PDB file of all heavy atoms in Angstrom:
ATOM      1  N   SER A 114     -65.668 227.837 -67.327  1.00 87.00           N
ATOM      2  CA  SER A 114     -64.844 228.696 -66.407  1.00 87.00           C
ATOM      3  C   SER A 114     -65.609 229.338 -65.243  1.00 87.00           C
ATOM      4  O   SER A 114     -65.075 229.371 -64.119  1.00 87.00           O
ATOM      5  CB  SER A 114     -64.320 229.766 -67.346  1.00 87.00           C
ATOM      6  OG  SER A 114     -63.344 229.377 -68.146  1.00 87.00           O
ATOM      7  N   LEU A 115     -66.860 229.627 -65.579  1.00 87.00           N
ATOM      8  CA  LEU A 115     -67.767 230.291 -64.473  1.00 87.00           C
ATOM      9  C   LEU A 115     -67.948 229.258 -63.395  1.00 87.00           C
ATOM     10  O   LEU A 115     -67.789 229.524 -62.216  1.00 87.00           O
ATOM     11  CB  LEU A 115     -69.059 230.829 -65.068  1.00 87.00           C
ATOM     12  CG  LEU A 115     -69.693 231.841 -64.256  1.00 87.00           C
ATOM     13  CD1 LEU A 115     -68.886 233.076 -64.199  1.00 87.00           C
ATOM     14  CD2 LEU A 115     -71.101 232.086 -64.836  1.00 87.00           C
ATOM     15  N   LEU A 116     -68.152 227.990 -63.810  1.00 87.00           N
ATOM     16  CA  LEU A 116     -68.450 226.899 -62.935  1.00 87.00           C
ATOM     17  C   LEU A 116     -67.190 226.637 -62.166  1.00 87.00           C
ATOM     18  O   LEU A 116     -67.273 226.411 -60.961  1.00 87.00           O
ATOM     19  CB  LEU A 116     -68.931 225.591 -63.497  1.00 87.00           C
ATOM     20  CG  LEU A 116     -70.388 225.504 -64.025  1.00 87.00           C
ATOM     21  CD1 LEU A 116     -70.403 224.140 -64.904  1.00 87.00           C
ATOM     22  CD2 LEU A 116     -71.271 225.497 -62.834  1.00 87.00           C
ATOM     23  N   SER A 117     -66.055 226.676 -62.691  1.00 87.00           N
ATOM     24  CA  SER A 117     -64.815 226.370 -62.006  1.00 87.00           C
ATOM     25  C   SER A 117     -64.575 227.611 -61.025  1.00 87.00           C
ATOM     26  O   SER A 117     -64.051 227.269 -59.920  1.00 87.00           O
ATOM     27  CB  SER A 117     -63.673 226.256 -62.917  1.00 87.00           C
ATOM     28  OG  SER A 117     -63.326 227.341 -63.590  1.00 87.00           O
ATOM     29  N   ALA A 118     -65.006 228.914 -61.293  1.00 88.00           N
ATOM     30  CA  ALA A 118     -64.901 229.995 -60.309  1.00 88.00           C
ATOM     31  C   ALA A 118     -65.732 229.823 -59.228  1.00 88.00           C
ATOM     32  O   ALA A 118     -65.282 229.977 -58.061  1.00 88.00           O
ATOM     33  CB  ALA A 118     -65.170 231.290 -61.080  1.00 88.00           C
ATOM     34  N   THR A 119     -66.970 229.299 -59.330  1.00 87.00           N
ATOM     35  CA  THR A 119     -67.840 229.045 -58.116  1.00 87.00           C
ATOM     36  C   THR A 119     -67.239 227.852 -57.394  1.00 87.00           C
ATOM     37  O   THR A 119     -67.304 227.848 -56.045  1.00 87.00           O
ATOM     38  CB  THR A 119     -69.192 228.602 -58.657  1.00 87.00           C
ATOM     39  OG1 THR A 119     -69.151 227.505 -59.536  1.00 87.00           O
ATOM     40  CG2 THR A 119     -70.006 229.691 -59.372  1.00 87.00           C
ATOM     41  N   PHE A 120     -66.655 226.841 -58.048  1.00 85.00           N
ATOM     42  CA  PHE A 120     -66.014 225.762 -57.278  1.00 85.00           C
ATOM     43  C   PHE A 120     -64.765 226.395 -56.455  1.00 85.00           C
ATOM     44  O   PHE A 120     -64.538 226.050 -55.323  1.00 85.00           O
ATOM     45  CB  PHE A 120     -65.455 224.715 -58.327  1.00 85.00           C
ATOM     46  CG  PHE A 120     -65.014 223.553 -57.775  1.00 85.00           C
ATOM     47  CD1 PHE A 120     -65.876 222.787 -56.986  1.00 85.00           C
ATOM     48  CD2 PHE A 120     -63.705 222.969 -58.080  1.00 85.00           C
ATOM     49  CE1 PHE A 120     -65.389 221.584 -56.435  1.00 85.00           C
ATOM     50  CE2 PHE A 120     -63.256 221.747 -57.457  1.00 85.00           C
ATOM     51  CZ  PHE A 120     -64.160 221.111 -56.727  1.00 85.00           C
ATOM     52  N   PHE A 121     -64.027 227.312 -56.986  1.00 86.00           N
ATOM     53  CA  PHE A 121     -62.968 227.924 -56.193  1.00 86.00           C
ATOM     54  C   PHE A 121     -63.492 228.616 -55.038  1.00 86.00           C
ATOM     55  O   PHE A 121     -62.826 228.716 -54.007  1.00 86.00           O
ATOM     56  CB  PHE A 121     -62.143 228.995 -57.171  1.00 86.00           C
ATOM     57  CG  PHE A 121     -61.262 228.220 -58.155  1.00 86.00           C
ATOM     58  CD1 PHE A 121     -61.150 228.773 -59.316  1.00 86.00           C
ATOM     59  CD2 PHE A 121     -60.756 227.057 -57.812  1.00 86.00           C
ATOM     60  CE1 PHE A 121     -60.444 228.275 -60.401  1.00 86.00           C
ATOM     61  CE2 PHE A 121     -59.988 226.414 -58.895  1.00 86.00           C
ATOM     62  CZ  PHE A 121     -59.921 227.021 -60.105  1.00 86.00           C
ATOM     63  N   VAL A 122     -64.688 229.337 -55.141  1.00 86.00           N
ATOM     64  CA  VAL A 122     -65.185 229.877 -53.852  1.00 86.00           C
ATOM     65  C   VAL A 122     -65.541 228.987 -52.862  1.00 86.00           C
ATOM     66  O   VAL A 122     -65.179 229.174 -51.677  1.00 86.00           O
ATOM     67  CB  VAL A 122     -66.576 230.693 -54.250  1.00 86.00           C
ATOM     68  CG1 VAL A 122     -67.138 231.226 -52.998  1.00 86.00           C
ATOM     69  CG2 VAL A 122     -66.188 231.940 -55.224  1.00 86.00           C
ATOM     70  N   LEU A 123     -66.014 227.719 -53.350  1.00 84.00           N
ATOM     71  CA  LEU A 123     -66.302 226.620 -52.391  1.00 84.00           C
ATOM     72  C   LEU A 123     -65.137 226.226 -51.582  1.00 84.00           C
ATOM     73  O   LEU A 123     -65.076 225.818 -50.468  1.00 84.00           O
ATOM     74  CB  LEU A 123     -67.017 225.585 -53.106  1.00 84.00           C
ATOM     75  CG  LEU A 123     -68.446 225.694 -53.358  1.00 84.00           C
ATOM     76  CD1 LEU A 123     -68.873 224.473 -54.169  1.00 84.00           C
ATOM     77  CD2 LEU A 123     -69.348 226.035 -52.341  1.00 84.00           C
ATOM     78  N   LEU A 124     -63.927 226.178 -52.358  1.00 82.00           N
ATOM     79  CA  LEU A 124     -62.707 225.847 -51.728  1.00 82.00           C
ATOM     80  C   LEU A 124     -61.978 226.847 -51.044  1.00 82.00           C
ATOM     81  O   LEU A 124     -60.776 226.750 -50.835  1.00 82.00           O
ATOM     82  CB  LEU A 124     -61.790 225.160 -52.878  1.00 82.00           C
ATOM     83  CG  LEU A 124     -62.281 223.995 -53.503  1.00 82.00           C
ATOM     84  CD1 LEU A 124     -61.395 223.601 -54.675  1.00 82.00           C
ATOM     85  CD2 LEU A 124     -62.167 222.742 -52.531  1.00 82.00           C
ATOM     86  N   ASP A 125     -62.658 228.137 -50.737  1.00 81.00           N
ATOM     87  CA  ASP A 125     -62.018 229.204 -49.926  1.00 81.00           C
ATOM     88  C   ASP A 125     -61.133 230.041 -50.771  1.00 81.00           C
ATOM     89  O   ASP A 125     -60.263 230.691 -50.153  1.00 81.00           O
ATOM     90  CB  ASP A 125     -61.371 228.665 -48.658  1.00 81.00           C
ATOM     91  CG  ASP A 125     -62.362 228.012 -47.682  1.00 81.00           C
ATOM     92  OD1 ASP A 125     -63.552 228.455 -47.828  1.00 81.00           O
ATOM     93  OD2 ASP A 125     -62.088 227.242 -46.922  1.00 81.00           O
ATOM     94  N   ALA A 126     -60.973 229.897 -52.069  1.00 81.00           N
ATOM     95  CA  ALA A 126     -59.964 230.616 -52.841  1.00 81.00           C
ATOM     96  C   ALA A 126     -60.765 231.755 -53.568  1.00 81.00           C
ATOM     97  O   ALA A 126     -60.930 231.634 -54.691  1.00 81.00           O
ATOM     98  CB  ALA A 126     -59.205 229.744 -53.820  1.00 81.00           C
ATOM     99  N   VAL A 127     -61.109 232.681 -52.758  1.00 83.00           N
ATOM    100  CA  VAL A 127     -61.912 233.943 -53.352  1.00 83.00           C
ATOM    101  C   VAL A 127     -61.153 234.680 -54.426  1.00 83.00           C
ATOM    102  O   VAL A 127     -61.638 234.986 -55.446  1.00 83.00           O
ATOM    103  CB  VAL A 127     -62.411 234.739 -52.252  1.00 83.00           C
ATOM    104  CG1 VAL A 127     -63.627 234.113 -51.607  1.00 83.00           C
ATOM    105  CG2 VAL A 127     -61.485 235.174 -51.226  1.00 83.00           C
ATOM    106  N   ASP A 128     -59.745 234.942 -54.132  1.00 84.00           N
ATOM    107  CA  ASP A 128     -58.964 235.736 -55.044  1.00 84.00           C
ATOM    108  C   ASP A 128     -58.946 234.984 -56.392  1.00 84.00           C
ATOM    109  O   ASP A 128     -59.076 235.562 -57.580  1.00 84.00           O
ATOM    110  CB  ASP A 128     -57.633 235.964 -54.564  1.00 84.00           C
ATOM    111  CG  ASP A 128     -57.655 236.454 -53.218  1.00 84.00           C
ATOM    112  OD1 ASP A 128     -57.959 235.836 -52.270  1.00 84.00           O
ATOM    113  OD2 ASP A 128     -57.381 237.672 -53.079  1.00 84.00           O
ATOM    114  N   VAL A 129     -58.773 233.731 -56.244  1.00 85.00           N
ATOM    115  CA  VAL A 129     -58.512 232.889 -57.558  1.00 85.00           C
ATOM    116  C   VAL A 129     -59.808 232.849 -58.317  1.00 85.00           C
ATOM    117  O   VAL A 129     -59.894 232.914 -59.461  1.00 85.00           O
ATOM    118  CB  VAL A 129     -58.074 231.398 -57.199  1.00 85.00           C
ATOM    119  CG1 VAL A 129     -57.993 230.600 -58.442  1.00 85.00           C
ATOM    120  CG2 VAL A 129     -56.754 231.451 -56.415  1.00 85.00           C
ATOM    121  N   ALA A 130     -60.969 232.802 -57.555  1.00 88.00           N
ATOM    122  CA  ALA A 130     -62.235 232.708 -58.025  1.00 88.00           C
ATOM    123  C   ALA A 130     -62.577 234.007 -58.934  1.00 88.00           C
ATOM    124  O   ALA A 130     -63.130 233.944 -60.022  1.00 88.00           O
ATOM    125  CB  ALA A 130     -63.378 232.402 -56.998  1.00 88.00           C
ATOM    126  N   PHE A 131     -62.330 235.166 -58.449  1.00 86.00           N
ATOM    127  CA  PHE A 131     -62.773 236.338 -59.071  1.00 86.00           C
ATOM    128  C   PHE A 131     -61.790 236.573 -60.214  1.00 86.00           C
ATOM    129  O   PHE A 131     -62.092 237.047 -61.361  1.00 86.00           O
ATOM    130  CB  PHE A 131     -63.049 237.553 -58.361  1.00 86.00           C
ATOM    131  CG  PHE A 131     -61.817 238.250 -57.643  1.00 86.00           C
ATOM    132  CD1 PHE A 131     -60.859 238.829 -58.388  1.00 86.00           C
ATOM    133  CD2 PHE A 131     -62.002 238.342 -56.261  1.00 86.00           C
ATOM    134  CE1 PHE A 131     -59.873 239.510 -57.629  1.00 86.00           C
ATOM    135  CE2 PHE A 131     -60.918 239.047 -55.531  1.00 86.00           C
ATOM    136  CZ  PHE A 131     -59.899 239.609 -56.254  1.00 86.00           C
TER     137      PHE A 131
END
Side-chain angles (χ1 to χ4, degrees):
Chain A
S114 285
L115 202 62
L116 281 175
S117 65
T119 55
F120 192 55
F121 290 146
V122 174
L123 288 179
L124 292 172
D125 295 336
V127 282
D128 306 78
V129 181
F131 68 65

